[in-house]
Amino acid sequence: MNEDGSAQVPFDSLRMDASILSPEEQKSLENKIASMQKIIDKKWGAFIPKETHERAIEFPKHMILVDQENFSELYEGWAESKQPIQEDLNRELVLSELGSRYYSQEVLKDLGIEEAHTKLDLEAHAQYLKLVSKYGNDVHKLFFGSTINPRVEKSILAEFTPEMVEQVLPGYYEEAVGNGTEMTSENARGFTYTPDSLVVVKRKDVPEGAVSERKMKRREGIENHDLAHELIHLYEPPQR
């Protein structure tokens, strides 16, 4: 059982039932994720706690790709109850989302994949980069869960004003203030099930007829972006 009392997800059986990948494609997916992990370790490994490093070994094996129909069926069983409405901005949640956008873009940049970023992704990256320029490695330590001075932590989180969040993460603002946002198979591309280190990345079925090379490259770029984004989330402290 998980801490919230729900039954643990039998990952291997889920992958057999829901994955749209062949065993060979699944292995290729695991290799891609492992390549991303090497970059994460090289760039920010010094700021990642030992226990997270040890847990991360299993991350490549705990990711699957599903289509929209299977995602909808699986998510129904994974949906967590919404958190109580909060009066204050959840700055830890903002750190999580801005940071995942920043680190995933840095990973994809090293892999030579940049086409998948949206304008808002780039704005989030720019905001996070300002934090790094101002507070240095303490930002990385805070995101990945290493110990920093409490006063520095408070100063970093204080940078996330409601005005900034509403501008950089529109549509995410209500979730950040604690109201919660319902995720459906129509609006979700990735889902992190942290108790079992499970990530599902949804992709649309291959459309019928001819698809231009640019559109195919764009779709692959988005999938790689989602993989990197959700992978980063798995490196965060469990309480987030």
Side-chain angles (χ1 to χ4, degrees):
M1 300 288 287
N2 295 322
E3 293 181 0
D4 62 1
S6 62
Q8 286 190 337
V9 176
F11 179 78
D12 290 336
S13 61
L14 275 180
R15 183 163 60 190
M16 290 180 61
D17 293 340
S19 176
I20 58 176
L21 303 181
S22 67
E24 293 76 16
E25 290 172 324
Q26 177 67 31
K27 185 62 179 178
S28 177
L29 175 68
E30 293 175 11
N31 290 338
K32 181 185 294 185
I33 296 166
S35 297
M36 293 179 177
Q37 287 187 291
K38 289 180 180 179
I39 296 172
I40 293 171
D41 189 61
K42 180 180 179 181
K43 285 180 170 288
W44 309 291
F47 315 117
I48 301 174
K50 180 181 178 182
E51 57 269 23
T52 304
H53 275 294
E54 294 173 349
R55 188 167 52 93
I57 295 174
E58 298 299 315
F59 288 170
K61 299 177 183 178
H62 285 184
M63 293 190 177
I64 59 177
L65 287 178
V66 300
D67 59 22
Q68 184 168 315
E69 180 179 358
N70 280 328
F71 182 90
S72 181
E73 293 178 0
L74 292 175
Y75 177 69
E76 183 178 353
W78 296 340
E80 299 176 351
S81 60
K82 294 181 180 180
Q83 297 296 318
I85 294 178
Q86 303 172 155
E87 294 181 1
D88 298 324
L89 179 68
N90 186 335
R91 288 175 168 81
E92 288 79 9
L93 187 58
V94 176
L95 173 72
S96 169
E97 202 57 30
L98 286 181
S100 61
R101 282 163 165 73
Y102 170 85
Y103 295 113
S104 60
Q105 288 180 58
E106 290 294 305
V107 168
L108 294 181
K109 190 184 302 181
D110 276 24
L111 291 174
I113 303 171
E114 300 184 54
E115 187 177 359
H117 306 321
T118 66
K119 180 180 179 181
L120 289 176
D121 288 330
L122 296 175
E123 288 184 7
H125 183 283
Q127 288 288 345
Y128 201 83
L129 185 59
K130 289 180 182 179
L131 288 180
V132 174
S133 299
K134 185 174 181 178
Y135 296 98
N137 290 335
D138 280 328
V139 178
H140 303 312
K141 292 178 181 178
L142 179 59
F143 180 89
F144 290 109
S146 291
T147 303
I148 68 170
N149 186 300
R151 286 179 294 179
V152 176
E153 176 179 352
K154 185 177 181 180
S155 295
I156 293 174
L157 295 178
E159 299 280 349
F160 304 137
T161 64
E163 294 76 19
M164 184 270 275
V165 175
E166 194 169 18
Q167 177 183 351
V168 180
L169 299 174
Y172 191 81
Y173 180 73
E174 288 302 313
E175 181 175 349
V177 297
N179 292 334
T181 300
E182 180 65 23
M183 183 171 71
T184 69
S185 61
E186 285 72 32
N187 66 21
R189 297 196 329 213
F191 179 71
T192 308
Y193 190 81
T194 51
D196 293 301
S197 300
L198 172 63
V199 172
V200 174
V201 178
K202 183 182 73 66
R203 68 179 185 184
K204 294 184 181 297
D205 295 330
V206 178
E208 296 181 2
V211 180
S212 71
E213 182 177 345
R214 178 172 178 77
K215 285 186 177 180
M216 185 64 71
K217 181 180 179 181
R218 171 68 175 169
R219 195 186 69 186
E220 292 174 354
I222 290 174
E223 291 169 13
N224 284 319
H225 177 275
D226 294 342
L227 278 174
H229 183 104
E230 299 301 331
L231 177 61
I232 290 296
H233 277 312
L234 290 181
Y235 278 86
E236 294 179 272
Q239 61 268 26
R240 288 197 196 126

